[in-house]
Amino acid sequence: MDAFIAGMAILTDPYMVGIILAGTVVGVVVGALPGLSGSTTAALLLPITITMTPVAGIAFLGAIYCAANFGGSITAILINTPGDPSASATAYDGYPMARNGEAGRALGISTIASAIGGIFSVFVLIVAAPLLAKAAYSFGPPEYFALAIFGLSMLAAVGASAGIRNLIMGAFGVLLATVGLDLMTGVERFTFGVAELSEGLELVPVLTGLFAISELLVQAGRLQIVPERMGLTAMRLPSMADYRKCAKAIGLSSVLGTFIGILPALGATTAALISYNETKRWSKYKDEFGKGSIEGVAGPEAANNAAVGGSMVPTLALGIPGSATTAIILAGLIVQGVRPGPHLFNEQPTLLYAVFASMLAANLIYIVLGLFGAKLFARITLIPDAILWPGVLIFAIIGAYGPNQSLVDVWVMLGFGVIGYVMRRYGFSPAPLVMGLVLGKLVEETLKQSLLIFDQNWLLFFTRPIVLTLFVVTMLGLCAPWLARAIRGGAKSARPPADAR
Amino acid sequence: MSTYPKIMRTASRLGLGAAVALLLAGGAGAQEKFPSKPIEVVTHAGVGGGTDLTARMMMVQAPAALGAEFVVANKTGGSGSASLGYANSRPKDGYTIMLITQTHLLTLLQGKAGAVQPGDLIGLARATEDPQVLMVGAKSPYKTAQDFIEASKTKPMKYGTTQLGSVDHLAVAGFATKAGLAKPVVVPFRGGGDIVVNLVGGNLDAALLNYAEAESQIKAGEVRPLLVFAPTKMDSLPQTPTATEIGIPAVYSTTRGFAVLKGTPEDRIKVLEDGLIKAMQGKLFQDYLKSSGQSGGSVVGRAAWQAQIDEFFSTGKEALASLGITK
């Protein structure tokens, strides 16, 4: 409890409040900018956090993560271009609302729904993470193996593109995970004599390349188009009738989003897409969807912010990233010398509660920013590409070079920029590749560790209750489509048209 | 005298033509003041790792002792070979020093460091000497080192180690040989933290760890230290016997120290040695040693440190060969 109060006390420190405010503003801005997502920005700004204290650095990254998911909805609603991939579902109904002259109402409900979803998930995080951490001593290599297999089984649903493409990218990520010194044999694989590669591909340059550089190349191939922007006269707080109509959507999506966030690999984008489907399925006004349904905005917005708190649960408690952005936050923690995992809860509870407090604060700050500044943030899209993208390139190079002071990492980043560009041209989403890279290494190492512990008898996997449970859940997840079809008797799926972003 | 061309090369590379002119005007007898620009400390550890931390702790008081600024260059990769390669690419003028661990020495022994050979290392001063401690989980049936050794003679124990051919792997193998134990099963992990969790969780029988790696678990009674591989008892573990006390002549530790490569002028080596020792005798570094359970005697000068490096090279070669890692 002392740690809880000490953690919350950071909110009385002007420096910390300044950091959280800065993170939130940066988050909303990059969230609103099409092309720059929360995860890209977290990767780009990671080197800056090294100069901060651990609490400030993580609070900064956490605030960006929270706010970017809200910021994405501003451009999704006003110019039909999701500023952040997680807002792609918001555009389905947000833009039609704006066309109907209801831009203010759409942004109002998006702000409130985002905040409710975000705050709900932080409370789940505060309760669930320590519980999970307590169980962490029963998490040995066999349990991590089962968890990673579960994560890999989710890969098909990670990105916004079609399942089979996601699987191909995920498998490519698993292949890339084999680069470097093999922990079990001490043999170098696919390093081609480059000493810097013996630790494997660094996550941050790969992410920066896949997300930032590839976007830069995509943008370079386009003419500067000033998108048609919907007029926004005034921000409107949702009316009581709106709340009543959206209560179910927000409640359902907050729970769903948090849960999807907790699952390894799946993050805000998946949470928003699934919640959109579910909101529609459970709505009384199904025929409004796609034409400007306020529920269709509230649902995905609550869900993508709820996924933030959810994906921090496994990140902090087990050291397994719950999404691409938390993978970067994890890298940030390690750079700060903070080892995520169960020890964190015993050794540095104050740091954890400070992270929770800063996430709560970020969720409250963007309500204010959203309600009073949405008009301003919408103007961000007017920044000329000729200024924006060269700036991104500079940050990307510094970000890749910084942590290890290695030019190899810069080349890795540029290489993955080209790979990412080609992938996206052919409709592949980079997110599953990242999760494949993270989980692939885990699967391989924990399998070999487990077999050593089990004296090479793989049947012993089935003697561990947590492993067994996770295997069963994985099987259920894989069979879910068939099960659902059997139950619903072939009812038509409510999946919206896939966005290839 | 022989250092002149080198100085000129370095200076012109930096575009300091004026400085060269000044130096020449000063006459051939004038000695350039060393150090007169920032000194780079090359480590193989990423920012925030234990070795990186050691470098940064030393750097706090070094500027006062040496009269120069210090910067850390983190050249990760290849178990130290990237950092050795980088140091070798710099002029051997004393402005590039390395913080090395046994990892570098093992890499050199395996011939994986490119142009750098084992004989090229010149020790400046040792910084840390962190003894390895044999630990078991609280639920382990073995209460004392004798219990554990007795049981290990027939049962192959599972040890958690970091990487194959790492310092703790060599120590596990050496301990087993010296105590006459059944061949241990080695389970490699990414870091000491993972090993501690698996000790507590009962997935491993034992591990050789540094005190600081398991400090909070030892205090919470979740991990039991059985045996210290140090010449004398550790201040932080006054109850735990040393291996020598129970009749096994085994001493293993995680050692970090500063070094330069051959070719660095002798007078500068002396300046660096004195300055580093002075910095590390300072309160801040000594407090850092104490907080990680090490004694202030970890800091020693060039002679003792070089002797330890040479000793490690001669024993390490056999140990690697016996593990089948080198031919």
Side-chain angles (χ1 to χ4, degrees), chain B residues 24-40:
Chain B
L24 291 173
Q31 269 275 327
E32 192 206 15
K33 186 188 168 292
F34 176 84
S36 60
K37 61 177 189 184
I39 294 174
E40 196 171 34

Side-chain angles (χ1 to χ4, degrees), chain A residues 441-459:
Chain A
K441 192 165 261 175
L442 199 63
V443 163
E444 193 194 349
E445 284 175 6
T446 52
L447 175 62
K448 289 183 180 168
Q449 287 166 343
S450 303
L451 288 176
L452 280 169
I453 289 170
F454 292 152
D455 295 319
Q456 310 293 337
N457 180 359
W458 58 271
L459 286 171

Side-chain angles (χ1 to χ4, degrees), chain B residues 298-310:
Chain B
S298 295
V299 178
V300 296
R302 178 181 173 184
W305 174 218
Q306 185 69 51
Q308 195 177 0
I309 293 175
D310 294 342

